[in-house]
Amino acid sequence: MCRETKVVVVGGGVLGTSAAIHLLRAGVGHVTLVERDGVAQGTSGAGAGFVAPWSLGSPDECGAEEAALADYAIDFYRELNAARPEAPYRQRGCLWMAQTERDWPSVERRHTEGPADSRIVEPEEIEKLTGGVVRAAGILRGVYHPSSAQISAERATRALAALFAAEGGTLRERTPVRGLVVEDGRIAGVDTAHGRIEADRVVIAAGAWTNAVLAELGQSLPIAPIAVSRIVTEPLGMPGDLPLLFVKALDSGLKKSIWVREEDGRLMFGANYDTPSRLTFIEDGVPERFDQVDLDGVLEVKRAAETLTTAIPALVEYKSFRIKHGAPCYTVDGRAIVGALPGVGNLYVMAGCNEQGVTHGPGFGRVIAETIAAGGSDFVDAAVWSPGRFEGEPQSPREVAAAL
């Protein structure tokens, strides 16, 4: 009788839980998901929850492969919601908006290079689509993607872990990985704080801590963990059918869009910013917790949001708020790193989400599962995410961050 294959997935975020459930359903053998803390207590707990083409990326950083991942995620999260109602799912579309003519060219690309159902919308329709949350007087025009969806990244990740366990997987929270076990050049298991777990295959999906897990093998990935902060207001009675909102406003001082969404009647918003705290994990290393991140980034997001009050008055109407911090990892080409890691047999990685892990995570989980189960994926051409593609490119986190 053949011995059952054992697979261990390290990391309880959206990438790790997606890999675990896909591996289990692919019938690869016994699957164990190991998480240092609790599921979704890292960057996935601060995820914005966009399920949309490009997400926070741009057309220059995404190809047909990423478009296929976005389409897959929309169906995947809808089915997850049907199986686990605690994972909310709403397909209310996404609005990309320009505040001035100077902002319009980059927003217009969301239409000219966007999904087939995208269309240009004028300010009056934008105000109607958002139930008055966005005021026509503050917007030049926009682009609407009706098929885009939104989830709660934290709740969806927890629901995936619960579904994985309910379907027969082994979930081990509060189990820090202390090292990887390699025998004869191949992975043989993981050493944890509670003992060794034998494995024939290991998938590392540890987010910003991925290189810390790989370090003892002399391995590292060319990723840069970038600190991000999101602001969540008190309940403001925001409509539950509010589309995802992206506002391009160069006059705010930010190069990229400010994003806004509804969550439990609250507003959740954020942006990419250039402040010292953004690079804190590169300069000082990634801590075990994100609760001591400097707040200059939060202040910059607040300042930028306040410049949009003619468009979205609610961005200054809240009285209290809380903060969520995360550390999505970026790559020099804007594409993730997914596949077998050269140098160690049967060791796989999922890293470098480029702040698009929610949209791309389910598809990456499928790619990893098909690669391990069948030796390759017929879903998409996974070579574009190959871990070995960076020869001659910046390698250290500082070099990668400088190249972004």
Side-chain angles (χ1 to χ4, degrees):
M1 180 180 293
C2 295
R3 184 176 67 86
E4 183 181 41
T5 299
K6 297 177 181 179
V7 182
V8 171
V9 179
V10 179
V14 68
L15 296 184
T17 54
S18 293
I21 194 72
H22 280 89
L23 284 161
L24 191 68
R25 290 174 174 176
V28 300
H30 185 81
V31 183
T32 300
L33 176 61
V34 177
E35 163 56 38
R36 182 192 62 191
D37 294 315
V39 167
Q41 287 191 339
T43 297
S44 294
F50 309 146
V51 190
W54 306 322
S55 242
L56 287 178
S58 75
D60 298 323
E61 298 165 335
C62 299
E65 296 82 8
E66 284 81 9
L69 296 178
D71 290 342
Y72 182 73
I74 287 171
D75 293 335
F76 180 86
Y77 287 120
R78 183 190 299 114
E79 292 168 5
L80 176 64
N81 171 253
R84 307 289 303 199
E86 71 269 27
Y89 171 90
R90 294 194 300 272
Q91 196 166 7
R92 301 299 188 186
C94 178
L95 270 170
W96 301 85
M97 295 169 283
Q99 203 169 33
T100 68
E101 289 287 359
R102 191 161 69 109
D103 305 316
W104 176 243
S106 66
V107 173
E108 187 180 25
R109 289 187 66 191
R110 308 285 172 172
H111 173 59
T112 58
E113 301 177 34
D117 63 352
S118 70
R119 58 186 174 87
I120 294 174
V121 286
E122 298 300 326
E124 292 74 19
E125 185 177 1
I126 289 173
E127 184 166 326
K128 184 177 180 181
L129 282 169
T130 63
V133 173
V134 179
R135 303 292 171 82
I139 291 296
L140 176 71
R141 69 182 69 89
V143 171
Y144 182 47
H145 293 177
S147 60
S148 298
Q150 54 188 294
I151 65 168
S152 164
E154 181 177 0
R155 294 177 197 171
T157 302
R158 290 178 178 170
L160 274 174
L163 192 59
F164 165 75
E167 292 186 7
T170 299
L171 175 62
R172 296 184 60 170
E173 297 180 277
R174 315 296 173 190
T175 304
V177 169
R178 303 300 192 200
L180 301 176
V181 182
V182 177
E183 297 177 357
D184 299 324
R186 305 175 73 84
I187 204 75
V190 298
D191 280 328
T192 78
H194 306 300
R196 178 169 297 185
I197 304 174
E198 293 183 355
D200 304 292
R201 309 282 192 279
V202 171
V203 179
I204 307 298
W209 298 277
T210 293
N211 280 340
V213 176
L214 295 174
E216 70 169 281
L217 301 183
Q219 296 265 15
S220 66
L221 301 179
I223 54 178
I226 302 297
V228 299
S229 300
R230 289 76 161 86
I231 294 173
V232 184
T233 72
E234 81 271 20
L236 297 174
M238 291 292 107
D241 60 355
L242 184 69
L244 301 168
L245 307 177
F246 291 85
V247 185
K248 184 72 172 181
L250 291 172
D251 289 345
S252 71
L254 295 178
K255 297 177 183 178
K256 291 196 173 184
S257 301
I258 299 170
W259 59 264
V260 183
R261 62 160 293 178
E262 180 272 345
E263 188 168 271
D264 299 328
R266 309 167 189 265
L267 276 186
M268 181 178 182
F269 59 96
N272 286 334
Y273 45 81
D274 291 313
T275 68
S277 68
R278 182 172 180 265
L279 303 179
T280 188
F281 301 143
I282 292 171
E283 302 298 332
D284 303 329
V286 183
E288 290 192 358
R289 307 287 184 277
F290 293 144
D291 56 359
Q292 295 188 12
V293 177
D294 291 339
L295 298 182
D296 54 344
V298 175
L299 296 176
E300 178 63 3
V301 171
K302 280 178 55 63
R303 182 204 62 75
E306 287 166 2
T307 69
L308 302 181
T309 53
T310 57
I312 308 176
L315 288 174
V316 293
E317 292 176 349
Y318 59 92
K319 303 299 182 184
S320 63
F321 64 93
R322 63 177 185 263
I323 304 165
K324 294 184 176 183
H325 298 297
C329 293
Y330 280 74
T331 61
V332 292
D333 62 1
R335 303 184 105 169
I337 303 173
V338 180
L341 187 66
V344 180
N346 295 337
L347 179 61
Y348 302 81
V349 293
M350 302 170 71
C353 71
N354 293 280
E355 212 163 343
Q356 300 180 82
V358 168
T359 294
H360 297 163
F364 287 147
R366 177 177 172 180
V367 166
I368 281 288
E370 291 178 350
T371 299
I372 290 176
S377 175
D378 59 6
F379 170 40
V380 290
D381 179 9
V384 297
W385 305 304
S386 168
R389 73 182 188 273
F390 293 100
E391 186 174 353
E393 298 285 350
Q395 295 294 316
S396 73
R398 186 175 285 106
E399 290 172 336
V400 173
L404 293 178

